[in-house]
C-alpha cells in the first residue's frame, strides 16, 4: 500500500522553528489527502494541517494558523510541515497520515516524530 516516514522532530526553545518532513512511498496514486496530526501526553490526537494530494484547499486548525505551513514537494513525494513561533504546549508526537481513495479515511500512519518545545 502506502508507507510514510516522518523526520525532523527535536528539541526547540519556545518561539523557535522546526520543519517536519513526511516521506511517502508505495502506491501513492491512491492517496487523496495528507495530514499532519499531533498527540500530546494525556490528550487526544489532533489534526493540525492537511492538504490534497493534488490541487485544492489546505486546512489548518485555528491554533496554528499564521504560524504553520503545510506543503508538498512533488519531485520528492514528501509532505512538509513548517512550524514557526512554537509554544511549549505544542510539545507532542507529530504524525503524518494518508487518506486514500479506497476508504476516504486517514488509515495509513507513520510512526511519528517527537517535538519538544522548552519554555
Amino acid at each position: 500500500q502506502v508507507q510514510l516516514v516522518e523526520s525532523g522532530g527535536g528539541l526547540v526553545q519556545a518561539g523557535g522553528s522546526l520543519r517536519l518532513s513526511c516521506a511517502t512511498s508505495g502506491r501513492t496514486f491512491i492517496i487523496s489527502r495528507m495530514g499532519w496530526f499531533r498527540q500530546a501526553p494525556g490528550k487526544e490526537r489532533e489534526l493540525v494541517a492537511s492538504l490534497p494530494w493534488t490541487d485544492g484547499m489546505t486546512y489548518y486548525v485555528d491554533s496554528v494558523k499564521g504560524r504553520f505551513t503545510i506543503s508538498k514537494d512533488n519531485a520528492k513525494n514528501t509532505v512538509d510541515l513548517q512550524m514557526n513561533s512554537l509554544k511549549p504546549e505544542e510539545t507532542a508526537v507529530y504524525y503524518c497520515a494518508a487518506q486514500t481513495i479506497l476508504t476516504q479515511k486517514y488509515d495509513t500512519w507513520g510512526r511519528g516524530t517527537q517535538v519538544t518545545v522548552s519554555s
Side-chain angles (χ1 to χ4, degrees), residues 4-119:
L4 307 175
V5 179
E6 302 96 336
S7 61
L11 173 65
V12 65
Q13 288 188 334
S17 299
L18 279 176
R19 188 176 185 89
L20 306 182
S21 186
C22 177
T24 67
S25 61
R27 302 176 65 199
T28 58
F29 59 89
I30 67 171
I31 298 174
S32 59
R33 196 168 187 89
M34 291 290 298
W36 277 99
F37 291 74
R38 63 188 176 192
Q39 187 166 22
K43 294 189 177 181
E44 292 189 355
R45 191 171 295 187
E46 171 187 42
L47 175 61
V48 175
S50 68
L51 53 60
W53 191 245
T54 54
D55 292 337
M57 294 290 290
T58 57
Y59 163 84
Y60 296 96
V61 68
D62 284 347
S63 61
V64 307
K65 286 180 180 177
R67 298 186 297 118
F68 288 17
T69 303
I70 188 171
S71 61
K72 182 173 177 283
D73 186 323
N74 291 319
K76 297 180 180 179
N77 265 0
T78 61
V79 177
D80 296 342
L81 185 68
Q82 177 66 41
M83 307 186 294
N84 299 327
S85 302
L86 282 161
K87 305 174 183 180
E89 56 265 35
E90 294 178 312
T91 293
V93 178
Y94 284 69
Y95 300 88
C96 68
Q99 187 178 98
T100 68
I101 59 175
L102 302 176
T103 66
Q104 292 301 323
K105 295 180 180 179
Y106 287 106
D107 54 10
T108 301
W109 295 81
R111 292 187 175 183
T113 185
Q114 176 70 45
V115 171
T116 302
V117 185
S118 64
S119 57

